[in-house]
Amino acid sequence: MDKPVRLRFAPSPTGPLHIGGIRTALYNYLFTRKHQGQFILRVEDTDQGRYVPGAEEYIINSLKWVGLIPDEGPGFGGEFGPYRQSERKAIYSKYAQQLVEKGEAYYAFDSAEELNALRDSNGGNQKYDYNTRHQMKNSVTLGMEVAKKKMDEGDPYVIRLKVPEAQEVVIEDVIRGRVSFHTSDLDDKVLIKSDGMPTYHMANVIDDYLMKISHVIRGEEWLSSTAHHVLLYKAFGWKNDMPAFAHLPLILKPTGNGKLSKRDGAQFGFPVFPISWIVSDGVEFSGFREYGFEPDALLNFLALLGWNNGTEQELFTIDELIQNFSLEKIVKSGARFDFEKGKWFNQQYLHKIPETEMVLRIRRDFHELNIDLKDDDCHMIYELYKDRVVFSKDYCDFGKVYFEEITHYDKEFVEKKWKPEHLPAYQSIQEIISGIQDWHAAEIETRLKEFVKTGAIKPGELFPALRVAMSGIPTGPDVFKMIQFTGKEKFVKRMEQFIQYLKR
RNA sequence: GGCCCGUUCGUCUAGGGGUUAGGACAUCAGAUUUUCAUUCUGGUAACAGGGGUUCGAUUCCCCUACGGGCUACCA
């Protein structure tokens, strides 16, 4: 008897999607996959004033990057199209007409000034509702004859929902349980704007009905207006076909107040967008992709931000997420965004990537720097850095010092650890190393340790110094392997450069 | 202001009328690495407050506080 499972992700192309949107899409996707349903992308582009060119393409590219591919949607086919609301204008007018005829909606001719005057009255809190509609300029007060005449004369008008008096509107939210509103708190929402376009509420309800949507999983910002949506379903006589609602907790800023917003990335120093977004004036907002995130890691991280399966498992493959997902286990309260935890997820995923794949990426990243690496070099860089990378591009960031000139040395190290009396030791080491025939880390290690035993320098002073000489910074992998990888000739040169720098 | 939703370690969360309130990230300490990192071990750290209900409440109810959302011819 259950309806087929059909869920929609319905973003508005007013700019780039942010990760909250990706999480919403993910939950929709997981639910459909778990119940063998359809995952539908619907573009809610009914606000012509806020339409941003390229945003739709951006949304689709983002979904593709993370692997949440719609079964239906613009460019994805499907029997219930068009999936862009701007292309469904005629449908909405038809249904709006129907509502007016049934007496569930009415035409309104109030000007912006008149609406402001209404709002400002009664202490600035007055709504356009069943208490005030009788004092406004609409087909309820004017009569249908006059209204028709005004419309024929070209007077701009909107269509408003005629919210019934003194009723309780109840929503059975899958996540929150029973939530109720009273119609006395609800205004007569505009359904069709004066440009002929529907508002979100109107288009949303009609499309969900027409597209046979079974469950609406969306952000909590929609919970309040769901009361109007329920009223709309009733007005149309579609109450029995109403989808189940599940309102998701919001993702909050890491610190401070409010929900995570698109501008927070710049402020907190981490991406909030899945992939980078270039604003028309050339400003670019970096994305998780460009930051180096694995799409599966991002999804895993996002999935756990407001949901868990009741166990202590944190690492889930996408299939495991599908198997384990349930709306009932979604947390009710908002979740602060913790970028550090996101990085941890990425690191975990990076460890799972096989060496052969990683080596390919290392070669590709170096190639972009115009450095063509030999197979052995790629493997060596992998070996050297695999325990300390968080993103795959870190291999390149760490490894490029072996192929580029060293332009500066860690200031703190030089100031704190460098002592002029170390100089002879450095020079001795340069000689010892350059004398090694069997160029291997093990041999280098033996010789260096022998030297340290002479007491010329302490190990704690020597090894970090060698790292600085090799790479500019005192942290890094095993020094002996570093030296081996640097190569004898380059090692000698770098020691020379370092010694010159210290003498300056 | 009004309406609606929420509140367990710094953060994400598990749990649920009787628990040493568990895990993860972060953080701190120890071990190992004659160095940093890794790894391992261990530690600090939470039921917002006040009333009920109850033999017993962090868990159920109410109030307060705090947080969040909505309050547009935006979605």
Side-chain angles (χ1 to χ4, degrees), chain A residues 61-77:
Chain A
N61 287 340
S62 297
L63 291 176
K64 282 181 176 168
W65 177 62
V66 292
L68 304 179
I69 313 296
D71 300 307
E72 300 173 24
F76 296 97

Side-chain angles (χ1 to χ4, degrees), chain A residues 23-24 176 217-223 246-250:
Chain A
R23 191 193 59 172
T24 303
R176 280 150 216 285
I217 303 177
R218 79 226 303 189
E220 195 190 357
E221 68 265 33
W222 296 112
L223 184 55
H247 288 94
L248 266 23
L250 267 16

Side-chain angles (χ1 to χ4, degrees), chain A residues 60-325:
Chain A
I60 290 171
N61 287 340
S62 297
L63 291 176
K64 282 181 176 168
W65 177 62
V66 292
L68 304 179
I69 313 296
D71 300 307
E72 300 173 24
F76 296 97
E79 304 292 307
F80 297 82
Y83 292 94
R84 223 175 258 123
Q85 291 184 327
S86 58
E87 295 167 14
R88 302 170 64 82
K89 202 172 165 183
I91 300 172
Y92 309 122
S93 328
K94 190 186 92 186
Y95 281 103
Q97 208 58 45
Q98 215 179 84
L99 240 34
V100 174
E101 280 159 22
K102 290 171 82 171
E104 301 283 1
Y106 59 90
Y107 301 109
F109 303 90
D110 315 276
S111 67
E113 293 72 39
E114 287 163 333
L115 291 173
N116 285 337
L118 171 71
R119 206 170 301 124
D120 294 343
S121 65
N122 197 11
N125 254 327
Q126 200 51 259
K127 315 187 290 299
Y128 201 127
D129 61 11
Y130 60 70
N131 287 314
T132 58
R133 75 168 78 105
H134 298 288
Q135 65 201 48
M136 302 304 286
K137 213 188 290 176
N138 52 49
S139 60
V140 176
T141 53
L142 267 29
M144 199 51 86
E145 293 281 300
V146 181
K148 285 260 160 63
K149 189 162 167 266
K150 286 173 80 67
M151 286 156 63
D152 288 341
E153 286 166 359
D155 271 21
Y157 67 95
V158 299
I159 296 177
R160 283 181 182 271
L161 177 67
K162 201 169 177 180
V163 173
E165 291 183 37
Q167 274 188 22
E168 199 185 14
V169 183
V170 176
I171 299 158
E172 290 294 341
D173 189 276
V174 183
I175 297 169
R176 280 150 216 285
R178 185 191 180 91
V179 180
S180 75
F181 296 85
H182 196 91
T183 52
S184 59
D185 294 317
L186 271 26
D187 64 340
D188 283 0
K189 278 261 179 298
V190 170
L191 267 16
I192 301 286
K193 300 181 267 190
S194 56
D195 65 357
M197 276 293 193
T199 55
Y200 171 86
H201 312 290
M202 182 68 166
N204 186 262
V205 165
I206 292 175
D207 286 347
D208 285 348
Y209 172 75
L210 259 21
M211 295 181 182
K212 300 198 186 305
I213 300 302
S214 60
H215 302 255
V216 170
I217 303 177
R218 79 226 303 189
E220 195 190 357
E221 68 265 33
W222 296 112
L223 184 55
S224 301
S225 41
T226 306
H228 282 103
H229 304 166
V230 170
L231 250 22
L232 232 24
Y233 280 103
K234 282 186 188 166
F236 279 120
W238 298 338
K239 200 163 181 276
N240 294 333
D241 296 302
M242 198 160 68
F245 292 103
H247 288 94
L248 266 23
L250 267 16
I251 297 178
L252 276 18
K253 293 178 198 293
T255 58
N257 298 145
K259 62 175 174 176
L260 188 69
S261 81
K262 293 176 177 180
R263 288 167 299 280
D264 289 335
Q267 194 185 331
F268 292 106
F270 56 75
V272 294
F273 301 123
I275 62 184
S276 81
W277 170 257
I278 296 157
V279 184
S280 48
D281 56 15
V283 181
E284 180 172 349
F285 292 98
S286 171
F288 277 82
R289 183 178 66 184
E290 289 71 21
Y291 205 93
F293 273 84
E294 304 299 316
D296 288 352
L298 210 215
L299 253 26
N300 194 157
F301 170 46
L302 256 22
L304 273 287
L305 209 55
W307 171 87
N308 70 86
N309 71 343
T311 72
E312 286 174 0
Q313 183 177 357
E314 295 207 85
L315 264 13
F316 292 85
T317 64
I318 190 76
D319 286 333
E320 287 172 327
L321 285 175
I322 292 167
Q323 286 314 309
N324 284 279
F325 189 74

Side-chain angles (χ1 to χ4, degrees), chain A residues 458-476:
Chain A
K458 289 178 193 154
E461 293 168 330
L462 204 222
F463 297 124
L466 288 176
R467 256 203 217 93
V468 175
M470 291 308 99
S471 65
I473 53 171
T475 59

Side-chain angles (χ1 to χ4, degrees), chain A residues 34-62:
Chain A
K34 174 151 187 176
H35 300 282
Q36 291 84 41
Q38 301 294 300
F39 174 56
I40 298 148
L41 173 66
R42 188 172 70 215
V43 178
E44 311 235 335
D45 56 348
T46 55
D47 187 352
Q48 295 167 331
R50 291 212 307 156
Y51 178 79
V52 173
E56 182 184 317
E57 193 191 356
Y58 175 93
I59 290 164
I60 290 171
N61 287 340
S62 297

